[in-house]
Amino acid sequence: MLFRSGRLAAVKFFTGYIVEMSLSMDNVFVIALIFEHLKVPLTLQHRVLFWGVLGALLMRGVMIGGGAALVARYHFIFYLFGAFLIITALKMLFAKDSEESPEEATIVRWLNRHFRVAKSFHGRHFVITEKGKRVITPLFVALVLVETTDLLFAVDSIPAIFAITTDAFLVFTSNVFAILCLRSLYFGLAGMIEKFRYLKVSLALILALVGAKMLVADWLTAQVGEQQNIIMLGVVASILVIG
């Protein structure tokens, strides 16, 4: 029985890991665009990604803890998550590509309005002192944008993993490993991401799939049982590979 429950947990972990990896691949492209727009030197990009990972893990930990508490207390949240994911999938499928998102432009304007922003990079510093006043550097602006985009992507990916398991430990650890892996692969993927022409379609299909699973979770459990996790893992992996 212990082996069976351990194997089931492993399947749920790997399914969550693949879902998070696939849904976050688009985030790699967005981060590459941010670095390109702000002209962040290649030698400084690792510093932004390092602190970005720490911030992402903290934010996702809070979101996963809150989400787990809501799902445990209010079962209807599952259906709201499912409907949200299907709507997001449709928006992703039909949305037009843009080099700069409205959120990015809004955040940059807000930072320029409320803080003094240096005109050039100052090595590895996020904040410097000029004429006795604190000034943020473009590197700090890049960090804020990376954290914000990760938060926006987490709004989609975290509910998707709750469709696979409501175990907060499995949800968080699958998120952690997926984020660390993608950040490590960033410099390799950033240059190739445009070659994956059907990536957005495959991500939309994955979102729609996990959203539909949340809407029919009770019926699916009654009909298929524990095998649904292995089937889900295979389908998600197949969609990602084909895409």
Side-chain angles (χ1 to χ4, degrees), residues 52-65 146-152 154 158 172:
V53 166
L54 295 182
L57 296 182
L58 179 61
M59 287 190 297
R60 286 170 184 256
V62 173
M63 293 176 68
I64 290 169
V146 167
E147 294 285 14
T148 305
T149 55
D150 186 81
L151 179 62
L152 294 176
I158 289 177
F172 182 70

Side-chain angles (χ1 to χ4, degrees), residues 172-188:
F172 182 70
T173 51
S174 60
N175 260 260
V176 168
F177 280 92
I179 291 172
L180 292 176
C181 183
L182 276 175
R183 292 299 195 270
S184 299
L185 293 174
Y186 166 79
F187 295 100

Side-chain angles (χ1 to χ4, degrees), residues 81-134:
F81 280 170
F84 171 74
L85 291 177
I86 292 175
I87 293 172
T88 303
L90 294 174
K91 289 174 64 178
M92 180 183 294
L93 197 58
F94 296 106
K96 295 181 179 180
D97 293 329
S98 174
E99 290 191 356
E100 183 178 30
S101 66
E103 294 86 357
E104 181 179 334
T106 301
I107 293 168
V108 171
R109 285 197 299 268
W110 187 88
L111 288 172
N112 279 289
R113 189 180 303 121
H114 293 85
F115 297 92
R116 293 176 178 270
V117 182
K119 297 185 180 297
S120 60
F121 292 92
H122 290 261
R124 295 165 54 85
H125 298 289
F126 289 118
V127 181
I128 61 172
T129 302
E130 284 186 351
K131 299 178 181 179
K133 295 183 178 180
R134 292 283 186 179

